Amino acid sequence: MTPHIADVKRQTWLLTYVLLPLVRALDWLLCKRHFGLRLLDPERIITRRLDPQRLIKKARAIAGDGPFHLPDALVEDRLRRAQAALRDANLKGLGAPGDLVVGLPAVAVLERRLTRALVADLRVTRAVALNGAYFASPPGEDALVITGPPRSGTTLLLELLACDEETWRPLTGPEALLPGAVDGDGAVLTSALAGQALAFQTTKNAHFEEVDGPTECRSLLENAGAPYVFWWVLGLTGPLDAWLADDARRRSDYAFYRQELAAVRLAAGRADTRRWLLKDPCHLFSLDELFDTLPKARVVWLHRDPATVSASLCALLSKVWRLLYRAEASKAPPRFHEAVVAYLGKLLDAGLAFRRRRPGAAVHDLLTTDLAADPMLEVARVYAFAGEALSDAARAKMKELLAARAKAPRHVYAAADFGLEPADLDRRFAKYKREFGV
């Protein structure tokens, strides 16, 4: 289904100026300790609102009875782990200059995202059962996949290539959030898009997307079970670490990711055979699984100095995390950088290990500095790598986009604000910097 953007805008306004302020006020009043006492324990809310059986029942009330792509027992186990991750969250040091505390906004966001993922699972699993032959060999799987560390220019490259509508089939915001959506899913999709719009408003000087425009495919992996929401949205690394250590689970989730892509194409019309244009920095964690799932894919890997990436990423994530958590004064120095640098290190180490295991993989390396210096030259090189021709019409649209982007506000940040020491980062990422000349 196509969401009504006017409804999304109204819901975003309501969320921004009414619902979120109200929830944050209630969180401060009820969940914060005043004179050593508090009226409501967040742990009780997490136990109730994120109860696995409640979430499953809620999703089936929206999407109808039917199986998930995994047995209910495994789905319930994943939900129970999600519940425990937020209940036991240790956020100390994440929120410079004060520590962050779990409260009502984080619970509400996680409940909404888990429910949406369950609805997507039900929809796609039903579509696979009804269209087995189509899902066995869907078109467009010779995808071009953009990846690289966060804040390395992956969004810019995605938007540039998406100007070529004759060649590429990008994933849109509504499709990523709820693939295979039907008319009855309007409320859950509108709510999800309003949440995205609020996040993009919060981070607009660092990262902004139109909610119905080209987007990355991380939400598809979240629908499959990948716990990226815990890191990107909530700042928790435990669920992601467990997922990265479970190769069988990752293979299973990427297999369902492929089915979600096919469900999107099926819902949009079988006649479209354009190549997928996909993008997500988190694919660096799982390049083996990506290529095993989409053997004909070609990957563009952007590279940027990790010291710069770390500072930019800290600035971006701090806006998101402080939107969801309550900040409380702390005398402890900020250790915000520890979580971000550890995450970035695991991401880049995983990508480097893949390149050593599979040196002949179809990967095109692109320096962010080169993309910034001459974007049209680098786009032409990407097209050559992909075996496609860049038309004059597409080139003109790309130049218009670049002219508009040149007028956008700059993302201003300082490494010192997050306790980052460039010399320490240079030592930590020396191997990566030598390998790719950044």
Side-chain angles (χ1 to χ4, degrees):
M1 65 167 294
T2 302
H4 297 290
I5 297 303
D7 292 341
V8 175
K9 290 181 178 179
R10 282 192 292 270
Q11 182 78 6
T12 304
W13 185 94
L14 185 66
L15 181 61
T16 304
Y17 298 108
V18 179
L19 296 178
L20 182 60
L22 177 61
V23 169
R24 297 182 77 168
L26 289 173
D27 180 58
W28 185 90
L29 179 66
L30 300 176
C31 298
K32 180 179 172 62
R33 292 187 183 276
H34 299 280
F35 305 107
L37 301 173
R38 61 183 174 192
L39 299 176
L40 190 60
D41 186 348
E43 189 170 315
R44 293 180 59 189
I45 302 173
I46 293 170
T47 299
R48 178 175 174 271
R49 301 296 301 183
L50 301 183
D51 176 69
Q53 292 185 359
R54 177 182 177 274
L55 293 174
I56 290 173
K57 183 178 180 180
K58 183 178 178 182
R60 285 190 166 130
I62 297 169
D65 289 335
F68 295 104
H69 78 285
L70 296 174
D72 276 18
L74 288 179
V75 173
E76 188 170 334
D77 179 66
R78 287 188 174 192
L79 293 172
R80 200 168 301 284
R81 291 171 184 266
Q83 181 188 45
L86 190 61
R87 184 186 62 233
D88 303 333
N90 179 7
L91 305 174
K92 192 171 180 61
L94 276 187
D99 290 333
L100 299 180
V101 179
V102 173
L104 299 181
V107 178
V109 166
L110 186 55
E111 178 185 357
R112 176 179 58 81
R113 292 183 76 118
L114 291 174
T115 301
R116 182 259 301 162
L118 292 172
V119 171
D121 190 331
L122 291 167
R123 291 293 186 213
V124 173
T125 302
R126 185 173 301 134
V128 173
L130 295 173
N131 303 274
Y134 180 84
F135 279 85
S137 184
E141 291 197 317
D142 51 342
L144 185 69
V145 184
I146 301 168
T147 191
R151 320 302 303 147
S152 63
T154 55
T155 298
L156 173 59
L157 185 59
L158 171 70
E159 292 179 348
L160 284 170
L161 299 185
C163 291
D164 185 356
E165 299 176 358
E166 297 298 318
T167 302
W168 308 113
R169 202 316 184 170
L171 192 69
T172 67
E175 293 168 340
L177 290 169
L178 200 55
V182 300
D183 289 341
D185 297 331
V188 68
L189 183 55
T190 297
S191 174
L193 288 169
Q196 294 286 77
L198 173 59
F200 292 147
Q201 286 177 7
T202 303
T203 63
K204 62 184 178 182
N205 288 345
H207 177 87
F208 181 79
E209 298 176 17
E210 298 293 344
V211 293
D212 58 341
T215 193
E216 57 197 16
C217 49
R218 184 177 310 133
S219 291
L220 294 184
L221 284 164
E222 288 181 8
N223 294 340
Y228 289 134
V229 60
F230 289 95
W231 168 251
W232 278 105
V233 180
L234 299 169
L236 307 176
T237 58
L240 181 58
D241 290 341
W243 185 77
L244 293 173
D246 191 338
D247 292 342
R249 180 177 169 184
R250 280 194 290 158
R251 286 193 296 270
S252 172
D253 290 346
Y254 264 86
F256 189 70
Y257 162 82
R258 176 177 180 260
Q259 292 182 332
E260 290 182 276
L261 289 170
V264 169
R265 194 180 288 273
L266 179 64
R270 296 173 182 255
D272 187 354
T273 59
R274 290 175 297 166
R275 296 172 66 177
W276 275 116
L277 176 61
L278 306 171
K279 171 250 177 180
D280 191 357
C282 289
H283 284 310
L284 282 183
F285 279 131
S286 306
L287 287 172
D288 283 300
E289 288 74 16
L290 176 68
F291 276 107
D292 290 345
T293 302
L294 301 174
K296 297 180 182 178
R298 301 182 77 78
V299 169
V300 179
W301 180 348
L302 281 99
H303 301 280
R304 190 182 187 189
D305 178 15
T308 306
V309 167
S310 297
S312 181
L313 189 56
C314 282
L316 173 65
L317 293 180
S318 67
K319 296 178 186 296
V320 176
W321 294 343
R322 291 178 68 86
L323 179 70
L324 296 179
Y325 293 128
R326 184 174 70 254
E328 295 190 346
S330 172
K331 295 181 181 179
R335 299 186 310 279
F336 183 74
H337 65 285
E338 292 178 4
V340 173
V341 172
Y343 160 86
L344 183 61
K346 290 180 181 180
L347 185 74
L348 296 178
D349 288 348
L352 281 169
F354 168 83
R355 296 296 288 272
R356 292 191 174 89
R357 285 193 305 272
R358 298 169 73 163
V363 179
H364 173 73
D365 295 303
L366 171 56
L367 298 182
T368 302
T369 50
D370 290 341
L371 179 64
D374 195 338
M376 293 311 302
L377 174 62
E378 296 308 322
V379 164
R381 289 172 174 166
V382 169
Y383 268 72
F385 166 70
E388 297 288 353
L390 177 59
S391 69
D392 290 340
R395 190 187 301 272
K397 289 182 180 179
M398 291 177 189
K399 289 181 177 180
E400 290 178 7
L401 174 66
L402 289 169
R405 288 285 295 260
K407 300 176 184 177
R410 293 185 62 82
H411 181 206
V412 179
Y413 50 88
D417 292 342
F418 305 102
L420 295 168
E421 293 291 342
D424 292 342
L425 293 172
D426 286 342
R427 283 191 293 272
R428 168 62 181 86
F429 296 107
K431 187 183 300 182
Y432 171 79
K433 290 168 67 73
R434 285 195 305 270
E435 185 88 12
F436 297 106
V438 293

